[in-house]
């Protein structure tokens, strides 16, 4: 019976590892998206990337 339980446990462990990796990647992406949202809301560096209306 121990041999059967070990064989059955391996696919479950594999699925758990895949789900853990996917969760970690989603969390990393979410952190990056929050960082971009905050930087966009704060407007980043002053004078950088802003349109300036210049008339002569």
């Amino acid at each position: 019976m121990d041999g059967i339980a070990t064989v059955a446990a391996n696919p479950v462990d594999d699925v758990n590892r895949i789900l853990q990796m996917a969760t970690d990647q989603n969390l990393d992406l979410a952190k990056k998206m929050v960082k971009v949202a905050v930087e966009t809301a704060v407007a980043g560096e002053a004078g950088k990337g802003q349109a300036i209306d210049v008339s002569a």
Side-chain angles (χ1 to χ4, degrees), residues 3 6-7 10 13 16 18-20 24-25 31 33-34 44-45 49-50 54-56:
T6 303
V7 171
N10 287 339
D13 290 339
N16 285 338
I18 290 169
L19 291 174
Q20 185 63 47
D24 292 342
Q25 290 175 357
K31 288 177 186 176
M33 291 175 69
V34 168
E45 297 178 32
Q50 297 175 354
V54 178
S55 59

Side-chain angles (χ1 to χ4, degrees), residues 12-54:
V12 172
D13 290 339
D14 291 342
V15 170
N16 285 338
R17 266 191 243 108
I18 290 169
L19 291 174
Q20 185 63 47
M21 288 188 304
T23 301
D24 292 342
Q25 290 175 357
N26 283 336
L27 287 173
D28 289 341
L29 182 59
K31 288 177 186 176
K32 289 177 185 178
M33 291 175 69
V34 168
K35 182 179 177 185
V36 168
V38 169
E39 288 175 354
T40 302
V42 174
E45 297 178 32
K48 186 173 185 180
Q50 297 175 354
I52 300 172
D53 186 12
V54 178

